[in-house]
Every structure is written in structure tokens, then in C-alpha cells.
Amino acid sequence: MSDKDAVVALYATIAAAVAGHGDLDGAARDFARLPDGSPGRARLAAGLVEAIFKTGTVPGPAATRAMPALLAAADGDPPHTPGWRRTRVAAEVLLLAQPTGDPAAGLARLEELAAEHAGDAGLRPLFASGRMALRFASAVQHGDAGAMAHLPDEIAGFLAGLPPQAASRPEAGVLTRMAGMLADRDYDPATIRDTIDTLPDGPVRAAFDEASAGLSTFAGLARDDAPRLSDEELSAFVAHSEQPGLAPGDRALLHSQAGLAALRAGRETDPGRITLGLGQLRKAVTTAGPDDPQRVFHLGVLGTALLRRHELTGDGEALREAAGVVGEARSRAGGPHHPQWQIVSEMTGQIGRLLGDRPDSHLTALDGLRGTVWQVLVQPDLVAATAAVRTAGDEAIEVARQCLAATDPAAAITALDAGRGLALFAATETGSLADRLATAGETSLAQRWRAAAATRDPAALPAELRRDVMTALSRHSTAAALLDPPGYAEIQQALTGLDADALVYLVPGEKVRPGHAVIAPASGPPSFLTLMGLTTDAAPRLDEYLSALAQRDIGDADGQDEEELTARLAGIGRWAWDAAMRPLIETYLPRLPAVPGRPPRIVLIPMGDLSRIPWQAARRGDGRYAVELIAVSQAASARMLVRSAALAPVPHTVTGLIVGDPEAGERVPSLPAARLEAYAIRQLFYPGARYLGRRPDGSPSRTGRGTPAEVRAWLGTPGPVSGGTLHLACHGFVRTGGPRATAYLQLAADEGDTGQLTAEELVALLGAVPERALGLVVLAACQTGLSLNGFDEAYSLGTAFLAGGARTVLSSQWNVPDSATSALMFMVHRNLRVAGRPSWAALRDAQLWMLDPHREVPEDMPAALRDRLAGTDLTAVAAWAAFVHGGQ
């Protein structure tokens, strides 16, 4: 066949496909073979593009890859019809939304197109779908767990705006389920396979098939219990990466897939498979080229694989190659704004230590933690921030271990605090960002931020604006104050101001690695203790203990499980003494100067599950508790400690707000002792305070039932008349288990209102009234010091008040018994108002009173409260040890 005949044949097949009688993917490939100067080439390209979009489905992979060339050709002589204009826009939106592109640039161009065609209502669903696809791609490319957490809701809102026939298509259901799996980090292979199997044959199914040789198999590699791939499965991944017709970015991703499959996500030990995996990862880097937006990712994965080879074989050449690869990755990442910054910085530090030529290599790993902070600060709300901190604590501990290996406890303190309380920190920083921008000279951006923040609607602060803000701030000296925890001198100044001897991070060990106490004293150099027994594996029945705390009955906790919990607490107390408190109390604290008139006093920051241990109830062999030997407070982080210490003290007066057992209907049982406690505290110690809730006889207070609206109004009213003391004797709840966890106080419910006051709301409410000076908040309720989840063990109802500016908060770590708690709370306020004790000492004195078998019940305790003490064991750990002090 002559060249002319071949061209005629191509025209025929393309024309047939345009007319609806042929394979559009094949026609797109045929078009690429047409000579550039072929007559009518532009009109043929336009016809092919229109035919592709007339199918009513998403174009297939081959047609999508051909689209740039088709559009370029069609633009040479485009049809002047409204239909072509719309098709041209649809084709460009399709290209902008490709997963291997640049989502930020794509969104910017998309908004340009939307503005150009603002008058065309028919294009609005197209732009909405493009935005959704680009946000999805951005979340995946950036590893933005916060954005992923919001994807299900965003997709649901998008689908709700589509015609019913479009919203009910199988593709829509798959998109919703995939977004949910990303949000929950649920990579169960069977679920993924079943989800994809609901797709009919067509371009979307073809796109999934082209994206991976086995998406469910590949996703399953993220699980620790993932089975080893067979030789046939592994060969399929390698062959898939070599298929013809792929764009370089797509091929690079498939090479990375094959490499990770061979390496079993870093767990492979077979040298042959590691060699195979390295070969695929090197191909990914080469194929991606220098301008690929995923190049840092490919380099980082290759660096991880090379480190793995070195660990298994001692291959020095692999370590040196890793140094070059990871060095390029870190250079290209450029700073904390890049999603890979933390991991490539940690690897850089690890490689420097292994090479032995970088004594300060741990500082590079430390700098990487700024990326974690940056990622949290760009999140719009608690749901997103909590998702973003999922691994922050573990990352901080890992870097802290590197710092301790380098005998640099000051750096370890910085590392540990970089992973603490980040969701809480993000919630309190939104209001200050405009001022930081203005100081940095970013006037226009400051105005945009103020305008968006003024709505008090998280949706008005989109991720793009937050990233612009944080990227701008990262270029200025203000970044250090924003991204870094307080310096050592600031911590010491705060400890001195708070009359405390030391800040102590308790870091759990793991398997064969020991735990540590990392200590910042009020004066002198930092230090650390290696604690061999401070591992959760060594704690007696820790999981059962934590489960017992989480499942305890609400209301009066003097139930049938009390004996079992008491036994578990006793075992935990003995372990807590041996594992951490004995070395601190008997070895470290005696080295510090004694302060006349008070016991040694420490502020604890326990990491991970250690935050659930009642350290004040650690028990020495002779039966004495830690609280009898020292004073123990707790802090969310050094950031929060320094912030609290810097606030002006609030005078303790007779005014304030006391809430006692508000009526919540059938939601929760009543708290008779809490009513007695709250009413007595108000009558005896705060006669000028407002009382809300129920009086001792069960009747409602004349001044209010104790609704969230009433408490909000009081919190939002600054001035001395309102007072600075808040005492809440009610129910507290924590819903844990994922990024949508929440903590709330259960108050009185009105019609159509749940009666709930959440931790997130408290932060926002108090942040909106910075002049509101709360001196003391006593949360005499269950679980008010319990974290929302394990991802950010610092975020609780108690720390929410501290983040909002309350000077001192007393909160509980578990569900507390009604009668014993009422006695403890009465004594706390008596110690404050009658004995004039500082808040930390008032709580400790009350706990010592509970422990004293020869205690004297004060004459001013009402008879009804005295009567409830009969038959109550006040010395039981469950009765007194749940409450902790935080703040001033």
C-alpha cells in the first residue's frame, strides 16, 4: 500500500469512528499517524473530539492521552459553533484533572475558564466536577489526610447537585466509596476489589485497569498482615509498567508501583526481589524526568529502598546512592510546604548518621518535623487537622530517638513537642495569621485571609488559600515562631513563672527499644533518663485497662465493675512506679534545688497511650502514691505551657458560673451528688456566682436550666461582673475512633437542640472573645481530660479551655464516681477559697485528704454531702486519681 493509500485508509477509519461506526480509542491512535499537513486535519480532529464527548461517558485512557494533540490540531481551524465551544471547554477540563498533573495549576486554569464562561449555566456542572477531581488529585498527591477526611462530604454535596440519573450511575457510587476508604485509611483488598467490580465495562473501568495491574493487591501492601505476592502477581506489575502508549508520568507511577510491590512496601528481605524493586524504582525516576510533579515522591521511595538494602546487606554503595537520591529529593522538596518534606528530611538525617560524617544529622531530621506542623496548619477544621496528625506523634518520637542517640536532649524536646497538640495549636492560630502576614509585608494576602476568616465558616478558608498563606509565611522569619515549638529558654522561663521544677516528656519504648523521660528543668541543662520498663508491652493488661476506662458506665460509676477496675488500676500503679516515677522521684528530682514550703513539682507530657496512665497514682512498694511525694500537673505541649504561663493571672473572686446536673431528659442519668456539690460550692464559696441547672431537690434553678446557650452567653461576656470561675458538674462524653471524633459536655437540651457543647466549639468561642479572662475552670464531669483519639492525645475538653485562654483547668481522665467526685470537688474549692491555696496545690491537698484514713470532714460540708460519703471508699484510686491539673 502506498503512503497516499495509507493516509486515505486512516481518513476512512477516523471518519467512520466520528460517524459512530468505529473504535474511538483506535481512531485517536490513527490520528496521531496522520502527517501534519494533511488536508482537513483540523476539522477531523475537532470531529473526533466531539465524537469522544458525545458518548456521554468519561473518555477512555487512549482518547485522553490523544486529547492534547487533537485540541492542538483543532485549534488551527476550529468550528465556530456553540457546541464546539462547550466541547472544547470539556476537553480542557478533562486534561486539567489528570492525576499526574499539577492540581494547583489546574485549579487556577479551571477558575479562569469558569470566569470566561460564567454566563453558560450548562457548563457549571462540568466546572464543579473538574474542581472535585482536582481536589481529589491534590489530596492524593499531597498526602493531605485532612483534605481526604472531607472528600466524602464534598463528593456527596457534588452528587446531590447532579440530575438523579447521573448521581445514581455506578461510577458515582465507586467515587463515593473510594473517597471514604481514603478518608478512613481503609485499604482492605477485598473491599477495593468488590468496589471496582461494580463498574460496568467502559472507560472508567479501563482507567482503573490501566492504573494498576491489581489495585486491590497493591493497596493491600499497606497492611502489616499483607501476604507476600506470588511470582506471577509480581510479574504482572512489572509487565503492566511496560505496556505501550503510556505518558511518561503514568509510566513512572506504574514503575513505582512495581517497585513497591517487589519490596512489599519495605518489608521484603529477599535480595533478589529487592534488586528487582530497585530496578523498577530507578526506572520510575528516569522515566519521570526532572519536571514531573511526582519526582520527589519517586526519589523518596527509591531512597527508602536503598536504605533497606543497606540494612539487610551492609551494602555501603547502596547507602551512598541513597544519600545522593534523598539529597536531591530534599532539595527539590524545598521546604515544609512539600508533602514529602518530613520523610525525606528524616531519611537525610538517618543516612548522615549511618555514614558517620554528619554529627548533627539528627537536626536535619528535626527540621523535617516542620512539614508535619505545616500540614496541620493548612487544615480548615478539627476533622481535617485530626486526620493530618494521625502519624505526627510517632514521627516525633522517632526523630526524638535520633536526637537522644546523638545525646542532644534539647533537640529531643523540640522534636517531641513538634508532634504534640498540633490540632489544638492549629485551632488557636487561625486568628493570628492575618497579623503575621501583615508583619511579613504580605498585605494583599492578609486582607484576603481577614475577609475569609470574618465569616467564621471553615468553608470560606479553602485549602488553596491556606496553602498560599502558609507558603508565604514560610518565606519569612515569622515561620520559625509559627512552625517551631518554643525554645529551651522559653520553657525554663515558663516553668519558673509557674513555680514548677521540671517539664518531663514520657516517651514509650517499643519492642526492644527502651522508653525515656526527657527533662527540661526550670534551671540547668536538659537531660534524659533511659527507662527500660517504660514500654506498653510491659504494662500489665494495659489494653484491658484502657478498654475498661473507655467502656465504664456513665453517671454513677460505683457499679459492679468497680472491683475489677480497682484491681487493674492497682497493677497499673505499681508498673507506673517502677517504669517511670521511681527513677524520676528517687534519682532525678533529688538533684534539683529544693523549694521551701512545697513538694517537688513536675509538669508531665506523656506521649501516646501513656497519656491515659494516672501517674499521680503510681504506687511505691510501701503503699505510698506518687501524689504523696510530689506534685504532678500535666500539659498538652510545651507550646501550651508557655502560652498559659505568659497570660496575666486572673484574681480569684466570689463571682463566676456554677452549673449543677442540668436536665438532659432521657439522654443520661441524673447526678444527685453533683447537684449537692455544685449548690454547696456556690452557696459557701462563690455567693456572687450565677447558678444554672438543678438544685439539690431536683427543681430547676430560677436563673437558668443550664443550656449550652446560657453557658455560651456567659463565656462570651467579658468583665469582672461575670467572674472568672466556671464549675461544671455534669456529664462529659468523648466519641473516639477516627478523624470525626469529638468531645462534648452534655448540658440541658432545648427543643431541637442536643444540649451538647463541644471542645471544638469552645476553642472557637473563647478565641472570638480574647478579652474574656477565665481564671479557673473545673470540669467535674466524666472524661473531660480524655483525648478525642490516639492521633492527638492532647485535644480534650480540658485543653480546649486552656487553648481558649483559661488560666487553669481541672479535668478528669475517665468516668468518675458521683459521690466521691463531689467530696473531692468540695474540698478543692474549700482549699482555694478558705485556705488560699494555688490551684495545683488545692487539687493535690484534696486528693491527699481523700487518701488520709484519719481525715476530718470539715464542719462546713453540708450534711447531705456528708451522708453520701457513708459506704464510699474515698481512698480508692478510681475515686481520686482521675483529676489532673493543667495551666497556671
Side-chain angles (χ1 to χ4, degrees):
M1 182 183 294
S2 68
D3 290 345
K4 184 176 180 179
D5 290 340
V7 170
V8 171
L10 290 174
Y11 268 98
T13 56
I14 295 169
V18 169
H21 305 300
D23 174 21
L24 289 172
D25 280 351
R29 287 190 292 268
D30 286 342
F31 182 85
R33 296 161 57 193
L34 280 177
D36 288 344
S38 301
R41 187 171 180 271
R43 291 304 178 94
L44 198 59
L48 191 50
V49 171
E50 288 184 319
I52 288 170
F53 280 91
K54 274 182 184 175
T55 62
T57 64
V58 177
T64 300
R65 284 194 295 272
M67 197 62 65
L70 291 172
L71 291 179
D75 287 343
D77 185 16
H80 298 288
T81 63
W84 169 250
R85 183 172 60 85
R86 283 189 169 184
T87 301
R88 177 69 175 76
V89 172
E92 186 168 356
V93 171
L94 170 73
L95 295 176
L96 291 173
Q98 291 309 295
T100 53
D102 181 348
L107 276 169
R109 175 56 184 156
L110 182 71
E111 297 308 331
E112 289 178 3
L113 288 171
E116 290 172 13
H117 302 279
D120 192 339
L123 287 174
R124 288 172 191 163
L126 174 68
F127 294 133
S129 64
R131 290 186 189 98
M132 185 62 57
L134 285 163
R135 285 177 183 149
F136 192 100
S138 178
V140 174
Q141 277 196 19
H142 288 98
D144 189 338
M148 290 177 190
H150 277 288
L151 278 175
D153 291 340
E154 289 190 24
I155 290 172
F158 166 68
L159 294 176
L162 294 179
Q165 64 271 23
S168 62
R169 290 179 64 90
E171 293 88 344
V174 168
L175 181 64
T176 300
R177 287 191 288 276
M178 286 292 187
M181 284 185 269
L182 278 173
D184 297 335
R185 306 268 181 106
D186 178 13
Y187 306 129
D188 178 60
T191 303
I192 294 172
R193 183 172 56 253
D194 291 345
T195 300
I196 295 174
D197 285 346
T198 63
L199 285 169
D201 289 337
V204 176
R205 179 65 178 263
F208 272 106
D209 290 341
E210 187 175 277
S212 177
L215 186 58
S216 60
T217 301
F218 180 73
L221 293 174
R223 298 163 61 103
D224 290 335
D225 59 351
R228 194 167 186 258
L229 269 61
S230 68
D231 290 341
E232 292 76 14
E233 288 174 318
L234 187 53
S235 295
F237 276 100
V238 174
H240 202 64
S241 68
E242 302 292 352
Q243 62 182 294
L246 294 176
D250 295 330
R251 190 178 302 282
L253 286 172
L254 292 181
H255 279 308
S256 275
Q257 263 193 30
L260 287 168
L263 294 163
R264 214 159 38 117
R267 297 188 299 276
E268 185 56 63
T269 58
D270 178 73
R273 288 203 168 193
I274 292 175
T275 298
L276 173 62
L278 283 170
Q280 288 294 309
L281 295 175
R282 290 188 179 105
K283 284 185 177 182
V285 171
T286 302
T287 305
D291 298 323
D292 191 297
Q294 295 294 305
R295 184 170 180 81
V296 174
F297 165 75
H298 296 309
L299 289 166
V301 175
L302 175 57
T304 303
L306 289 164
L307 270 177
R308 181 63 172 157
R309 166 172 274 188
H310 172 74
E311 290 171 358
L312 290 173
T313 66
D315 184 346
E317 187 56 39
L319 184 60
R320 286 185 288 275
E321 184 183 352
V325 166
V326 175
E328 181 190 346
R330 192 166 189 269
S331 176
R332 286 182 175 275
H337 59 279
H338 196 282
Q340 305 296 319
W341 181 253
Q342 189 276 325
I343 185 64
V344 296
S345 294
E346 184 179 331
M347 281 198 293
T348 302
Q350 184 180 359
I351 291 168
R353 180 172 57 83
L354 291 171
L355 287 172
D357 59 355
R358 288 281 306 280
D360 61 347
S361 59
H362 63 287
L363 299 181
T364 305
L366 180 62
D367 186 50
L369 292 176
R370 287 175 141 208
T372 304
V373 180
W374 194 92
Q375 287 289 346
V376 174
L377 287 174
V378 299
Q379 304 306 327
D381 54 26
L382 176 60
V383 170
T386 305
V389 301
R390 188 181 292 249
T391 60
D394 291 340
E395 292 164 355
I397 289 174
E398 191 58 42
V399 175
R401 288 190 177 117
Q402 289 190 37
C403 297
L404 294 177
T407 63
D408 189 348
I413 289 170
T414 301
L416 293 169
D417 214 68
R420 282 287 302 185
L422 293 181
L424 197 64
F425 175 54
T428 61
E429 278 301 308
T430 296
S432 72
L433 290 181
D435 293 338
R436 291 181 185 273
L437 287 166
T439 301
E442 302 282 353
T443 307
S444 174
L445 204 50
Q447 291 172 347
R448 285 175 57 198
W449 182 262
R450 284 196 179 97
T455 65
R456 303 202 180 281
D457 178 10
L461 297 169
E464 295 77 25
L465 176 57
R466 285 180 171 270
R467 289 185 183 281
D468 288 347
V469 166
M470 291 304 304
T471 301
L473 289 175
S474 69
R475 294 193 295 262
H476 299 277
S477 59
T478 186
L482 192 62
L483 300 179
D484 296 338
Y488 188 65
E490 292 178 273
I491 294 174
Q492 290 192 310
Q493 183 179 1
L495 290 169
T496 300
L498 295 172
D499 191 27
D501 295 313
L503 177 68
V504 181
Y505 293 85
L506 292 178
V507 184
E510 182 183 40
K511 296 180 180 177
V512 299
R513 297 198 288 187
H516 295 91
V518 187
I519 308 166
S523 62
S527 61
F528 67 97
L529 301 174
T530 299
L531 305 174
M532 300 303 296
L534 192 63
T535 67
T536 53
D537 293 337
R541 302 171 68 190
L542 179 63
D543 289 340
E544 295 178 15
Y545 158 74
L546 295 176
S547 176
L549 295 189
Q551 296 176 9
R552 253 186 130 199
D553 291 339
I554 62 172
D556 193 332
D558 301 319
Q560 59 183 0
D561 295 330
E562 194 69 20
E563 289 185 9
E564 186 176 359
L565 179 63
T566 298
R568 288 176 179 165
L569 281 168
I572 289 291
R574 290 189 292 272
W575 168 80
W577 175 263
D578 291 332
M581 298 309 282
R582 177 169 59 187
L584 276 170
I585 293 173
E586 296 184 351
T587 303
Y588 180 77
L589 289 177
R591 304 175 193 166
L592 301 181
V595 178
R598 70 157 172 80
R601 183 176 174 225
I602 62 173
V603 180
L604 284 180
I605 300 181
M607 305 290 289
D609 279 340
L610 298 184
S611 65
R612 303 293 311 279
I613 303 297
W615 296 102
Q616 60 274 24
R619 197 169 194 185
R620 198 166 66 180
D622 62 1
R624 298 193 73 188
Y625 292 101
V627 72
E628 298 177 80
L629 305 169
I630 63 171
V632 181
S633 297
Q634 286 197 19
S637 63
R639 279 191 182 97
M640 290 297 299
L641 183 79
V642 170
R643 186 173 182 271
S644 292
L647 295 172
V650 175
H652 203 60
T653 66
V654 297
T655 56
L657 179 68
I658 313 294
V659 180
D661 189 27
E663 170 62 52
E666 297 181 356
R667 290 180 176 84
V668 293
S670 61
L671 299 169
R675 293 179 219 158
L676 294 171
E677 156 211 323
Y679 199 77
I681 286 170
R682 189 267 177 189
Q683 295 296 99
L684 289 172
F685 308 128
Y686 304 96
R690 183 181 178 187
Y691 184 83
L692 302 175
R694 287 185 279 191
R695 293 180 291 190
D697 62 3
S699 62
S701 169
R702 290 189 294 270
T703 55
R705 295 171 49 241
T707 65
E710 291 167 336
V711 175
R712 289 188 200 105
W714 182 84
L715 289 171
T717 305
V721 175
S722 297
T725 298
L726 172 63
H727 180 96
L728 290 157
C730 59
H731 285 291
F733 294 96
V734 176
R735 286 202 300 264
T736 61
R740 296 181 183 275
T742 187
Y744 62 92
L745 294 164
Q746 181 61 61
L747 302 174
D750 283 328
E751 180 103 14
D753 179 26
T754 62
Q756 296 173 5
L757 188 60
T758 68
E760 186 178 16
E761 184 181 1
L762 286 168
V763 174
L765 182 65
L766 293 169
V769 192
E771 65 274 20
R772 183 67 170 103
L774 288 179
L776 174 67
V777 176
V778 179
L779 299 174
C782 297
Q783 302 182 356
T784 52
L786 179 62
S787 67
L788 274 65
N789 55 45
F791 307 145
D792 190 349
E793 63 271 22
Y795 207 126
S796 67
L797 283 161
T799 57
F801 274 104
L802 288 170
R807 276 39 169 189
T808 300
V809 175
L810 307 183
S811 57
S812 61
Q813 292 178 291
W814 58 70
N815 286 341
V816 291
D818 191 21
S819 298
T821 298
S822 296
L824 180 69
M825 291 296 100
F826 181 89
M827 294 304 297
V828 166
H829 285 283
R830 192 176 192 280
N831 293 335
L832 284 164
R833 300 295 303 151
V834 177
R837 300 285 279 162
S839 56
W840 64 266
L843 174 61
R844 179 175 181 267
D845 290 351
Q847 291 171 326
L848 294 178
W849 177 84
M850 300 274 282
L851 285 169
D852 184 0
H854 307 295
R855 76 183 73 84
E856 294 184 6
V857 179
E859 294 181 359
D860 54 358
M861 180 180 286
L865 268 183
R866 287 169 174 257
D867 292 344
R868 290 192 69 92
L869 299 185
T872 300
D873 182 7
L874 298 185
T875 66
V877 173
W880 61 267
F883 283 90
V884 295
H885 166 271
Q888 294 182 356

